[in-house]
Amino acid sequence: MDNTIRTALLDKTNIKHLSKLADLSALKNKLIASNVANVETPGYQRKTFDFDRTLRKSMEEPKLRGVETHPKHIPLGDDQDRPPKIIHVKHSENSTGINSVDIDQEMSEMSQNQLIYQFGSKMLSRKFNGLTSAIRGE
C-alpha cells in the first residue's frame, strides 16, 4: 500500500493503537492463563508485565528512530514493536505459600482484561466498518 494512502487511512484513524491494545491484551490473557494453570505448581513464579506503561509507550511518537539498511544493523532508537518485558514475581502479599500466584487476583485481572479486549476489538471493528463504508461511498 502506498505510504500516503496508508498514512491517510490507517495511521490517522487509531487503528494501529487499537491493534496494539488487542495484541497486548491477548498477551496478558496468555500470561494469566499460564498463572492459573500453575496455581498449585510448587515454586512457580507468577508472570506479568506492565500493561499500562507498555500501551502508553507504544502510543508515543518515537524520540529517535534509526534506519536499518542491512539485516545485520543494530536497531537504533525506540522499537515500539518490541514485545514487553515479562516480569517474574517471586513473592506476593496474597500468595498461597506454594508459589506467588493468587487465584483471586488472577481471576480479577482476567475479568478486567476481558473487558479491555472486548472494548478494543469492538472499536477496531467499528473503525474498519467506517473505512469500508467510506470506500463504498455510503
Side-chain angles (χ1 to χ4, degrees), residues 4-46:
T4 307
I5 295 171
R6 181 171 187 219
T7 301
L9 289 178
L10 301 178
D11 293 346
K12 299 292 182 185
T13 58
N14 294 329
I15 290 175
K16 180 173 73 170
H17 300 309
L18 290 170
S19 177
K20 187 68 172 183
L21 176 73
D23 290 345
L24 290 175
S25 185
L27 174 62
K28 185 167 185 168
N29 196 59
K30 285 181 184 180
L31 294 177
I32 292 170
S34 175
N35 293 339
V36 169
N38 288 289
V39 73
E40 293 186 10
T41 304
Y44 178 81
Q45 294 179 353
R46 178 177 180 265

mmCIF file of all heavy atoms in Angstrom, residues 4-46:
data_model
loop_
_atom_site.group_PDB
_atom_site.id
_atom_site.type_symbol
_atom_site.label_atom_id
_atom_site.label_comp_id
_atom_site.label_asym_id
_atom_site.label_seq_id
_atom_site.Cartn_x
_atom_site.Cartn_y
_atom_site.Cartn_z
ATOM 1 N N THR A 4 1.339 7.212 1.431
ATOM 2 C CA THR A 4 0.408 8.322 1.598
ATOM 3 C C THR A 4 -0.978 7.806 1.931
ATOM 4 O O THR A 4 -1.642 8.316 2.837
ATOM 5 C CB THR A 4 0.353 9.167 0.303
ATOM 6 O OG1 THR A 4 1.678 9.542 -0.060
ATOM 7 C CG2 THR A 4 -0.511 10.387 0.494
ATOM 8 N N ILE A 5 -1.404 6.783 1.220
ATOM 9 C CA ILE A 5 -2.718 6.197 1.476
ATOM 10 C C ILE A 5 -2.743 5.552 2.854
ATOM 11 O O ILE A 5 -3.698 5.720 3.612
ATOM 12 C CB ILE A 5 -3.081 5.169 0.385
ATOM 13 C CG1 ILE A 5 -3.220 5.869 -0.962
ATOM 14 C CG2 ILE A 5 -4.354 4.424 0.747
ATOM 15 C CD1 ILE A 5 -3.362 4.931 -2.127
ATOM 16 N N ARG A 6 -1.672 4.839 3.177
ATOM 17 C CA ARG A 6 -1.607 4.184 4.490
ATOM 18 C C ARG A 6 -1.679 5.213 5.610
ATOM 19 O O ARG A 6 -2.397 5.048 6.584
ATOM 20 C CB ARG A 6 -0.330 3.375 4.607
ATOM 21 C CG ARG A 6 -0.234 2.674 5.935
ATOM 22 C CD ARG A 6 0.919 1.708 5.965
ATOM 23 N NE ARG A 6 0.813 0.977 7.204
ATOM 24 C CZ ARG A 6 1.831 0.642 7.945
ATOM 25 N NH1 ARG A 6 3.039 0.946 7.564
ATOM 26 N NH2 ARG A 6 1.663 -0.007 9.065
ATOM 27 N N THR A 7 -0.934 6.304 5.461
ATOM 28 C CA THR A 7 -0.946 7.358 6.469
ATOM 29 C C THR A 7 -2.333 7.975 6.583
ATOM 30 O O THR A 7 -2.840 8.174 7.687
ATOM 31 C CB THR A 7 0.091 8.448 6.128
ATOM 32 O OG1 THR A 7 1.381 7.833 6.067
ATOM 33 C CG2 THR A 7 0.105 9.546 7.170
ATOM 34 N N ALA A 8 -2.947 8.253 5.464
ATOM 35 C CA ALA A 8 -4.260 8.909 5.470
ATOM 36 C C ALA A 8 -5.354 8.008 6.025
ATOM 37 O O ALA A 8 -6.226 8.459 6.764
ATOM 38 C CB ALA A 8 -4.622 9.355 4.054
ATOM 39 N N LEU A 9 -5.318 6.732 5.674
ATOM 40 C CA LEU A 9 -6.397 5.840 6.087
ATOM 41 C C LEU A 9 -6.164 5.142 7.416
ATOM 42 O O LEU A 9 -7.067 5.082 8.245
ATOM 43 C CB LEU A 9 -6.635 4.781 5.006
ATOM 44 C CG LEU A 9 -7.262 5.246 3.717
ATOM 45 C CD1 LEU A 9 -7.387 4.090 2.746
ATOM 46 C CD2 LEU A 9 -8.619 5.862 3.977
ATOM 47 N N LEU A 10 -5.011 4.584 7.599
ATOM 48 C CA LEU A 10 -4.798 3.736 8.757
ATOM 49 C C LEU A 10 -4.151 4.452 9.940
ATOM 50 O O LEU A 10 -4.605 4.328 11.064
ATOM 51 C CB LEU A 10 -3.966 2.511 8.372
ATOM 52 C CG LEU A 10 -4.589 1.632 7.286
ATOM 53 C CD1 LEU A 10 -3.663 0.483 6.954
ATOM 54 C CD2 LEU A 10 -5.943 1.119 7.710
ATOM 55 N N ASP A 11 -3.083 5.176 9.692
ATOM 56 C CA ASP A 11 -2.360 5.793 10.799
ATOM 57 C C ASP A 11 -3.153 6.911 11.463
ATOM 58 O O ASP A 11 -3.004 7.150 12.653
ATOM 59 C CB ASP A 11 -1.004 6.325 10.325
ATOM 60 C CG ASP A 11 -0.062 5.194 9.914
ATOM 61 O OD1 ASP A 11 -0.357 4.036 10.243
ATOM 62 O OD2 ASP A 11 0.951 5.481 9.265
ATOM 63 N N LYS A 12 -3.984 7.596 10.751
ATOM 64 C CA LYS A 12 -4.751 8.710 11.316
ATOM 65 C C LYS A 12 -6.056 8.256 11.980
ATOM 66 O O LYS A 12 -6.754 9.059 12.556
ATOM 67 C CB LYS A 12 -5.088 9.738 10.225
ATOM 68 C CG LYS A 12 -3.880 10.359 9.569
ATOM 69 C CD LYS A 12 -3.139 11.244 10.534
ATOM 70 C CE LYS A 12 -1.963 11.893 9.819
ATOM 71 N NZ LYS A 12 -1.130 12.657 10.695
ATOM 72 N N THR A 13 -6.372 6.988 11.915
ATOM 73 C CA THR A 13 -7.647 6.510 12.457
ATOM 74 C C THR A 13 -7.494 5.691 13.734
ATOM 75 O O THR A 13 -8.429 5.047 14.160
ATOM 76 C CB THR A 13 -8.389 5.655 11.413
ATOM 77 O OG1 THR A 13 -7.550 4.567 11.056
ATOM 78 C CG2 THR A 13 -8.781 6.456 10.205
ATOM 79 N N ASN A 14 -6.317 5.703 14.324
ATOM 80 C CA ASN A 14 -6.034 4.980 15.572
ATOM 81 C C ASN A 14 -6.116 3.469 15.443
ATOM 82 O O ASN A 14 -6.158 2.768 16.453
ATOM 83 C CB ASN A 14 -6.947 5.441 16.704
ATOM 84 C CG ASN A 14 -6.694 6.865 17.100
ATOM 85 O OD1 ASN A 14 -5.579 7.346 17.000
ATOM 86 N ND2 ASN A 14 -7.722 7.548 17.549
ATOM 87 N N ILE A 15 -6.142 2.963 14.241
ATOM 88 C CA ILE A 15 -6.190 1.516 14.052
ATOM 89 C C ILE A 15 -4.934 0.865 14.611
ATOM 90 O O ILE A 15 -4.998 -0.181 15.252
ATOM 91 C CB ILE A 15 -6.407 1.158 12.565
ATOM 92 C CG1 ILE A 15 -7.832 1.534 12.163
ATOM 93 C CG2 ILE A 15 -6.125 -0.308 12.301
ATOM 94 C CD1 ILE A 15 -8.153 1.348 10.710
ATOM 95 N N LYS A 16 -3.800 1.526 14.435
ATOM 96 C CA LYS A 16 -2.541 0.992 14.950
ATOM 97 C C LYS A 16 -2.594 0.872 16.471
ATOM 98 O O LYS A 16 -2.178 -0.139 17.034
ATOM 99 C CB LYS A 16 -1.392 1.900 14.515
ATOM 100 C CG LYS A 16 -0.034 1.454 14.992
ATOM 101 C CD LYS A 16 1.085 2.288 14.396
ATOM 102 C CE LYS A 16 1.098 3.654 15.034
ATOM 103 N NZ LYS A 16 2.296 4.434 14.685
ATOM 104 N N HIS A 17 -3.146 1.866 17.142
ATOM 105 C CA HIS A 17 -3.222 1.851 18.602
ATOM 106 C C HIS A 17 -4.218 0.810 19.100
ATOM 107 O O HIS A 17 -3.957 0.107 20.080
ATOM 108 C CB HIS A 17 -3.594 3.225 19.138
ATOM 109 C CG HIS A 17 -2.620 4.299 18.764
ATOM 110 N ND1 HIS A 17 -1.260 4.189 18.969
ATOM 111 C CD2 HIS A 17 -2.806 5.506 18.195
ATOM 112 C CE1 HIS A 17 -0.657 5.276 18.549
ATOM 113 N NE2 HIS A 17 -1.565 6.089 18.054
ATOM 114 N N LEU A 18 -5.342 0.707 18.434
ATOM 115 C CA LEU A 18 -6.343 -0.288 18.835
ATOM 116 C C LEU A 18 -5.833 -1.701 18.590
ATOM 117 O O LEU A 18 -6.099 -2.614 19.374
ATOM 118 C CB LEU A 18 -7.658 -0.049 18.087
ATOM 119 C CG LEU A 18 -8.413 1.203 18.501
ATOM 120 C CD1 LEU A 18 -9.560 1.474 17.537
ATOM 121 C CD2 LEU A 18 -8.919 1.087 19.924
ATOM 122 N N SER A 19 -5.076 -1.884 17.522
ATOM 123 C CA SER A 19 -4.486 -3.185 17.235
ATOM 124 C C SER A 19 -3.467 -3.553 18.313
ATOM 125 O O SER A 19 -3.410 -4.698 18.773
ATOM 126 C CB SER A 19 -3.827 -3.156 15.858
ATOM 127 O OG SER A 19 -3.200 -4.371 15.581
ATOM 128 N N LYS A 20 -2.673 -2.583 18.739
ATOM 129 C CA LYS A 20 -1.688 -2.817 19.800
ATOM 130 C C LYS A 20 -2.394 -3.146 21.114
ATOM 131 O O LYS A 20 -1.954 -4.027 21.862
ATOM 132 C CB LYS A 20 -0.792 -1.586 19.959
ATOM 133 C CG LYS A 20 0.345 -1.777 20.902
ATOM 134 C CD LYS A 20 1.361 -2.770 20.354
ATOM 135 C CE LYS A 20 2.593 -2.823 21.215
ATOM 136 N NZ LYS A 20 3.616 -3.705 20.688
ATOM 137 N N LEU A 21 -3.504 -2.468 21.393
ATOM 138 C CA LEU A 21 -4.295 -2.761 22.586
ATOM 139 C C LEU A 21 -4.766 -4.206 22.574
ATOM 140 O O LEU A 21 -4.653 -4.922 23.579
ATOM 141 C CB LEU A 21 -5.495 -1.817 22.673
ATOM 142 C CG LEU A 21 -6.469 -2.071 23.821
ATOM 143 C CD1 LEU A 21 -5.859 -1.642 25.140
ATOM 144 C CD2 LEU A 21 -7.776 -1.347 23.578
ATOM 145 N N ALA A 22 -5.260 -4.663 21.438
ATOM 146 C CA ALA A 22 -5.728 -6.053 21.321
ATOM 147 C C ALA A 22 -4.570 -7.037 21.469
ATOM 148 O O ALA A 22 -4.702 -8.061 22.144
ATOM 149 C CB ALA A 22 -6.436 -6.255 19.985
ATOM 150 N N ASP A 23 -3.423 -6.724 20.865
ATOM 151 C CA ASP A 23 -2.254 -7.609 20.971
ATOM 152 C C ASP A 23 -1.767 -7.726 22.414
ATOM 153 O O ASP A 23 -1.466 -8.819 22.897
ATOM 154 C CB ASP A 23 -1.111 -7.104 20.091
ATOM 155 C CG ASP A 23 -1.386 -7.250 18.605
ATOM 156 O OD1 ASP A 23 -2.320 -8.001 18.245
ATOM 157 O OD2 ASP A 23 -0.678 -6.607 17.807
ATOM 158 N N LEU A 24 -1.663 -6.586 23.099
ATOM 159 C CA LEU A 24 -1.201 -6.604 24.485
ATOM 160 C C LEU A 24 -2.194 -7.318 25.392
ATOM 161 O O LEU A 24 -1.813 -8.049 26.307
ATOM 162 C CB LEU A 24 -0.950 -5.182 24.989
ATOM 163 C CG LEU A 24 0.244 -4.470 24.396
ATOM 164 C CD1 LEU A 24 0.300 -3.022 24.880
ATOM 165 C CD2 LEU A 24 1.540 -5.192 24.720
ATOM 166 N N SER A 25 -3.466 -7.120 25.124
ATOM 167 C CA SER A 25 -4.500 -7.794 25.908
ATOM 168 C C SER A 25 -4.443 -9.310 25.696
ATOM 169 O O SER A 25 -4.615 -10.084 26.640
ATOM 170 C CB SER A 25 -5.876 -7.250 25.528
ATOM 171 O OG SER A 25 -6.868 -7.801 26.334
ATOM 172 N N ALA A 26 -4.199 -9.738 24.475
ATOM 173 C CA ALA A 26 -4.069 -11.171 24.193
ATOM 174 C C ALA A 26 -2.853 -11.759 24.908
ATOM 175 O O ALA A 26 -2.921 -12.863 25.464
ATOM 176 C CB ALA A 26 -3.971 -11.408 22.692
ATOM 177 N N LEU A 27 -1.743 -11.012 24.925
ATOM 178 C CA LEU A 27 -0.556 -11.478 25.636
ATOM 179 C C LEU A 27 -0.827 -11.581 27.134
ATOM 180 O O LEU A 27 -0.458 -12.558 27.778
ATOM 181 C CB LEU A 27 0.621 -10.537 25.383
ATOM 182 C CG LEU A 27 1.889 -10.829 26.189
ATOM 183 C CD1 LEU A 27 2.446 -12.217 25.860
ATOM 184 C CD2 LEU A 27 2.933 -9.762 25.944
ATOM 185 N N LYS A 28 -1.499 -10.572 27.680
ATOM 186 C CA LYS A 28 -1.817 -10.604 29.112
ATOM 187 C C LYS A 28 -2.707 -11.796 29.428
ATOM 188 O O LYS A 28 -2.551 -12.444 30.461
ATOM 189 C CB LYS A 28 -2.478 -9.298 29.537
ATOM 190 C CG LYS A 28 -2.702 -9.238 31.033
ATOM 191 C CD LYS A 28 -3.055 -7.863 31.502
ATOM 192 C CE LYS A 28 -3.149 -7.874 33.016
ATOM 193 N NZ LYS A 28 -3.208 -6.550 33.579
ATOM 194 N N ASN A 29 -3.639 -12.092 28.553
ATOM 195 C CA ASN A 29 -4.524 -13.242 28.766
ATOM 196 C C ASN A 29 -3.728 -14.547 28.789
ATOM 197 O O ASN A 29 -4.008 -15.438 29.601
ATOM 198 C CB ASN A 29 -5.608 -13.284 27.697
ATOM 199 C CG ASN A 29 -6.732 -14.194 28.075
ATOM 200 O OD1 ASN A 29 -7.365 -14.000 29.102
ATOM 201 N ND2 ASN A 29 -6.985 -15.212 27.250
ATOM 202 N N LYS A 30 -2.731 -14.679 27.910
ATOM 203 C CA LYS A 30 -1.883 -15.877 27.904
ATOM 204 C C LYS A 30 -1.127 -16.026 29.219
ATOM 205 O O LYS A 30 -1.015 -17.121 29.765
ATOM 206 C CB LYS A 30 -0.878 -15.824 26.748
ATOM 207 C CG LYS A 30 -1.453 -16.108 25.406
ATOM 208 C CD LYS A 30 -0.357 -16.061 24.353
ATOM 209 C CE LYS A 30 -0.916 -16.259 22.967
ATOM 210 N NZ LYS A 30 0.127 -16.208 21.939
ATOM 211 N N LEU A 31 -0.600 -14.892 29.719
ATOM 212 C CA LEU A 31 0.147 -14.943 30.973
ATOM 213 C C LEU A 31 -0.766 -15.291 32.149
ATOM 214 O O LEU A 31 -0.397 -16.093 33.011
ATOM 215 C CB LEU A 31 0.847 -13.609 31.230
ATOM 216 C CG LEU A 31 1.951 -13.234 30.252
ATOM 217 C CD1 LEU A 31 2.517 -11.860 30.588
ATOM 218 C CD2 LEU A 31 3.053 -14.280 30.238
ATOM 219 N N ILE A 32 -1.959 -14.722 32.168
ATOM 220 C CA ILE A 32 -2.914 -15.036 33.236
ATOM 221 C C ILE A 32 -3.309 -16.504 33.174
ATOM 222 O O ILE A 32 -3.364 -17.188 34.199
ATOM 223 C CB ILE A 32 -4.157 -14.120 33.146
ATOM 224 C CG1 ILE A 32 -3.774 -12.673 33.468
ATOM 225 C CG2 ILE A 32 -5.255 -14.602 34.086
ATOM 226 C CD1 ILE A 32 -4.873 -11.660 33.175
ATOM 227 N N ALA A 33 -3.563 -17.008 31.974
ATOM 228 C CA ALA A 33 -3.928 -18.426 31.822
ATOM 229 C C ALA A 33 -2.793 -19.330 32.296
ATOM 230 O O ALA A 33 -3.040 -20.355 32.953
ATOM 231 C CB ALA A 33 -4.265 -18.724 30.368
ATOM 232 N N SER A 34 -1.560 -18.941 32.014
ATOM 233 C CA SER A 34 -0.410 -19.707 32.482
ATOM 234 C C SER A 34 -0.329 -19.687 34.004
ATOM 235 O O SER A 34 -0.063 -20.712 34.642
ATOM 236 C CB SER A 34 0.867 -19.136 31.874
ATOM 237 O OG SER A 34 2.001 -19.777 32.398
ATOM 238 N N ASN A 35 -0.586 -18.529 34.593
ATOM 239 C CA ASN A 35 -0.564 -18.417 36.054
ATOM 240 C C ASN A 35 -1.649 -19.273 36.697
ATOM 241 O O ASN A 35 -1.404 -19.959 37.689
ATOM 242 C CB ASN A 35 -0.729 -16.956 36.482
ATOM 243 C CG ASN A 35 0.447 -16.090 36.091
ATOM 244 O OD1 ASN A 35 1.550 -16.589 35.843
ATOM 245 N ND2 ASN A 35 0.223 -14.798 36.011
ATOM 246 N N VAL A 36 -2.850 -19.242 36.123
ATOM 247 C CA VAL A 36 -3.965 -20.034 36.664
ATOM 248 C C VAL A 36 -3.669 -21.529 36.532
ATOM 249 O O VAL A 36 -3.925 -22.309 37.448
ATOM 250 C CB VAL A 36 -5.291 -19.660 35.962
ATOM 251 C CG1 VAL A 36 -6.396 -20.633 36.310
ATOM 252 C CG2 VAL A 36 -5.700 -18.235 36.337
ATOM 253 N N ALA A 37 -3.096 -21.911 35.395
ATOM 254 C CA ALA A 37 -2.785 -23.328 35.181
ATOM 255 C C ALA A 37 -1.729 -23.839 36.157
ATOM 256 O O ALA A 37 -1.702 -25.022 36.482
ATOM 257 C CB ALA A 37 -2.314 -23.549 33.745
ATOM 258 N N ASN A 38 -0.878 -22.950 36.638
ATOM 259 C CA ASN A 38 0.202 -23.345 37.541
ATOM 260 C C ASN A 38 -0.038 -22.914 38.981
ATOM 261 O O ASN A 38 0.902 -22.800 39.760
ATOM 262 C CB ASN A 38 1.525 -22.758 37.049
ATOM 263 C CG ASN A 38 2.012 -23.442 35.804
ATOM 264 O OD1 ASN A 38 2.436 -24.581 35.851
ATOM 265 N ND2 ASN A 38 1.917 -22.746 34.676
ATOM 266 N N VAL A 39 -1.295 -22.688 39.344
ATOM 267 C CA VAL A 39 -1.616 -22.186 40.679
ATOM 268 C C VAL A 39 -1.148 -23.131 41.792
ATOM 269 O O VAL A 39 -0.846 -22.693 42.894
ATOM 270 C CB VAL A 39 -3.125 -21.871 40.802
ATOM 271 C CG1 VAL A 39 -3.952 -23.145 40.865
ATOM 272 C CG2 VAL A 39 -3.398 -20.981 42.003
ATOM 273 N N GLU A 40 -1.049 -24.405 41.515
ATOM 274 C CA GLU A 40 -0.613 -25.374 42.531
ATOM 275 C C GLU A 40 0.760 -25.962 42.235
ATOM 276 O O GLU A 40 1.145 -26.954 42.855
ATOM 277 C CB GLU A 40 -1.656 -26.475 42.660
ATOM 278 C CG GLU A 40 -2.971 -25.963 43.227
ATOM 279 C CD GLU A 40 -3.976 -27.065 43.490
ATOM 280 O OE1 GLU A 40 -3.605 -28.256 43.409
ATOM 281 O OE2 GLU A 40 -5.130 -26.732 43.775
ATOM 282 N N THR A 41 1.489 -25.379 41.311
ATOM 283 C CA THR A 41 2.828 -25.852 40.982
ATOM 284 C C THR A 41 3.830 -25.265 41.980
ATOM 285 O O THR A 41 3.975 -24.048 42.059
ATOM 286 C CB THR A 41 3.227 -25.439 39.549
ATOM 287 O OG1 THR A 41 2.252 -25.931 38.637
ATOM 288 C CG2 THR A 41 4.594 -25.972 39.189
ATOM 289 N N PRO A 42 4.492 -26.111 42.753
ATOM 290 C CA PRO A 42 5.452 -25.593 43.747
ATOM 291 C C PRO A 42 6.586 -24.809 43.080
ATOM 292 O O PRO A 42 7.152 -25.231 42.082
ATOM 293 C CB PRO A 42 6.000 -26.856 44.414
ATOM 294 C CG PRO A 42 4.985 -27.918 44.136
ATOM 295 C CD PRO A 42 4.368 -27.565 42.813
ATOM 296 N N GLY A 43 6.858 -23.630 43.638
ATOM 297 C CA GLY A 43 7.962 -22.818 43.162
ATOM 298 C C GLY A 43 7.686 -22.005 41.902
ATOM 299 O O GLY A 43 8.559 -21.276 41.444
ATOM 300 N N TYR A 44 6.495 -22.127 41.342
ATOM 301 C CA TYR A 44 6.164 -21.368 40.120
ATOM 302 C C TYR A 44 6.149 -19.880 40.439
ATOM 303 O O TYR A 44 5.664 -19.464 41.485
ATOM 304 C CB TYR A 44 4.799 -21.806 39.567
ATOM 305 C CG TYR A 44 4.361 -21.038 38.345
ATOM 306 C CD1 TYR A 44 4.840 -21.368 37.088
ATOM 307 C CD2 TYR A 44 3.467 -19.976 38.451
ATOM 308 C CE1 TYR A 44 4.440 -20.660 35.964
ATOM 309 C CE2 TYR A 44 3.064 -19.268 37.333
ATOM 310 C CZ TYR A 44 3.555 -19.616 36.099
ATOM 311 O OH TYR A 44 3.162 -18.920 34.979
ATOM 312 N N GLN A 45 6.684 -19.083 39.546
ATOM 313 C CA GLN A 45 6.683 -17.635 39.715
ATOM 314 C C GLN A 45 5.663 -17.007 38.779
ATOM 315 O O GLN A 45 5.676 -17.259 37.570
ATOM 316 C CB GLN A 45 8.067 -17.051 39.437
ATOM 317 C CG GLN A 45 9.100 -17.487 40.431
ATOM 318 C CD GLN A 45 10.479 -16.926 40.120
ATOM 319 O OE1 GLN A 45 10.689 -16.304 39.087
ATOM 320 N NE2 GLN A 45 11.412 -17.151 41.023
ATOM 321 N N ARG A 46 4.778 -16.224 39.353
ATOM 322 C CA ARG A 46 3.735 -15.535 38.598
ATOM 323 C C ARG A 46 4.377 -14.664 37.517
ATOM 324 O O ARG A 46 5.367 -13.991 37.749
ATOM 325 C CB ARG A 46 2.936 -14.660 39.552
ATOM 326 C CG ARG A 46 1.861 -13.867 38.922
ATOM 327 C CD ARG A 46 1.090 -13.093 40.012
ATOM 328 N NE ARG A 46 0.045 -12.332 39.385
ATOM 329 C CZ ARG A 46 0.169 -11.051 39.035
ATOM 330 N NH1 ARG A 46 1.287 -10.404 39.277
ATOM 331 N NH2 ARG A 46 -0.827 -10.424 38.443
#
